[in-house]
Amino acid sequence: MGRKIFLNSSNRLVAGNSLALISIFLFSAGFPAAEVLLKIWHPITLMFFRLLFGVSALIILWILLEGLSAILKAPWLKGIQIGLLGFGLGTNLLLFAQWYTDPVTVALLATLIPISATILEVWDGRRKLNKKFILGLAASITGGFIAVSENISLDLGWGILMALASGFCFMWASDKSVTRLSEISSIARTSVTFTGAAVFSMISFMVMFALGFIENPGWLTSVQFLNLIVYSIIAMAVSQVFFIAAIDKVGIAITSLHLNFSPFYVMLILFVLGGTWDVRAIIGASIVAFGVWLAQTR
């Protein structure tokens, strides 16, 4: 009996960490894509179209996997409430943060998000802090900083504050997606909560457009449209499905530790696209991996 429980626990850890790894890699692909799109669109415009494409793709996939009846029975009101405040506000803050700073800086600040996630679990009594977890958390944050150490800035401006606030909103909404919507699947949770984010984004877009702060979006080139697909469907919609599934397996705190790989993934993607490589990214990622492992040892 004890061996069976141990194996089940071990399988959940492997599955949860694998899902988290995939999620954060896909999420990281959005930073270079956003950098291209922010050159032609206002952040509010970009977020509106990002959520429009992302939610549309999610609902289509949801229908194909579970049927129309699952959509009609879903707890839409509860999901929209979570997504409106958490993902709606969070996604807009994240994009404005990148607008004020740069993709590497935002990825760097994402390494601090596990602190918010840990606070949420401790506050609810779902996690008791121990020495190994605290050391693992510290190691993963340190590794994330080392990965982009050459680009670290001490400018405590609005961009940094927005990025930190965005991280807390994301963690809160992701956590509540699992704890308050436990009766539905990961793709259903992502769809209903991101619909709330889309409502938030639509209101923001309409108000800003009516006030004359943003103009009609122009036509996209094929390259720009490809970046929009990456940014909306791959880096947001699909990434969040994997992220929610990972939280279901190992919890929000452990899943969020994987965010500390994002500076390494961003640099890796930029390198493939012709950027430069820094050996510190490998050192940082190695320390992050050690921290993720240490935080889960018993």
Side-chain angles (χ1 to χ4, degrees):
M1 183 66 179
R3 179 179 174 79
K4 185 177 181 180
I5 294 173
F6 172 78
L7 289 174
N8 287 338
S9 176
S10 178
N11 289 339
R12 288 182 69 85
L13 287 177
V14 172
N17 283 281
S18 299
L19 291 166
L21 188 152
I22 295 169
S23 170
I24 303 308
F25 181 80
L26 297 177
F27 170 72
S28 300
F31 289 108
E35 195 70 4
V36 172
L37 296 166
L38 281 171
K39 293 177 181 177
I40 58 169
W41 277 353
H42 189 279
I44 293 291
T45 303
L46 177 54
M47 189 51 59
F48 172 71
F49 281 97
R50 184 190 196 192
L51 283 161
L52 179 66
F53 275 77
V55 171
S56 298
L58 281 169
I59 291 177
I60 291 171
L61 185 58
W62 187 10
I63 293 173
L64 293 174
L65 292 175
E66 300 183 9
L68 187 59
S69 60
I71 293 180
L72 298 176
K73 295 176 184 177
W76 283 97
L77 182 59
K78 192 187 300 184
I80 288 174
Q81 288 173 341
I82 293 170
L84 192 71
L85 179 59
F87 295 132
L89 182 59
T91 49
N92 279 274
L93 284 173
L94 180 66
L95 200 56
F96 271 105
Q98 185 168 341
W99 195 33
Y100 278 108
T101 57
D102 57 77
V104 176
T105 300
V106 173
L108 165 67
L109 293 169
T111 64
L112 300 176
I113 291 176
I115 297 175
S116 299
T118 301
I119 290 172
L120 287 170
E121 281 197 350
V122 172
W123 182 267
D124 286 347
R126 286 173 284 149
R127 175 173 296 279
K128 292 183 178 180
L129 294 179
N130 57 55
K131 187 182 297 184
K132 286 185 177 180
F133 180 85
I134 293 172
L135 289 174
L137 176 62
S140 62
I141 293 173
T142 301
F145 270 77
I146 290 174
V148 288
S149 57
E150 187 180 12
N151 300 280
I152 291 177
S153 171
L154 297 178
D155 178 21
L156 300 177
W158 283 108
I160 289 178
L161 294 177
M162 287 177 179
L164 294 175
S166 170
F168 183 82
C169 289
F170 267 110
M171 290 303 100
W172 177 85
S174 296
D175 187 51
K176 299 310 174 188
S177 296
V178 174
T179 57
R180 294 187 183 177
L181 302 172
S182 57
E183 71 276 14
I184 55 178
S185 65
S186 295
I187 190 168
R189 295 168 184 166
T190 306
S191 299
V192 296
T193 53
F194 271 18
T195 297
V199 171
F200 184 100
S201 182
M202 180 179 67
I203 294 171
S204 300
F205 179 80
M206 291 174 66
V207 170
M208 295 289 280
F209 185 79
L211 293 175
F213 289 113
I214 54 178
E215 301 176 351
N216 254 332
W219 291 99
L220 298 178
T221 66
S222 57
V223 173
Q224 291 166 345
F225 184 74
L226 179 61
N227 276 280
L228 180 61
I229 294 299
V230 170
Y231 189 52
S232 59
I233 297 177
I234 296 174
M236 186 187 74
V238 178
S239 169
Q240 184 65 14
V241 172
F242 281 104
F243 195 74
I244 294 297
I247 294 172
D248 217 8
K249 298 287 186 184
V250 294
I252 185 71
I254 294 298
T255 303
S256 67
L257 290 180
H258 284 263
L259 279 165
N260 298 331
F261 284 110
S262 59
F264 169 74
Y265 293 149
V266 170
M267 286 190 171
L268 179 62
I269 293 167
L270 291 175
F271 174 72
V272 171
L273 295 175
T276 57
W277 182 256
D278 190 341
V279 70
R280 282 169 293 192
I282 299 176
I283 297 172
S286 301
I287 297 173
V288 171
F290 171 74
V292 172
W293 168 80
L294 183 62
Q296 297 176 83
T297 57
R298 297 180 180 179

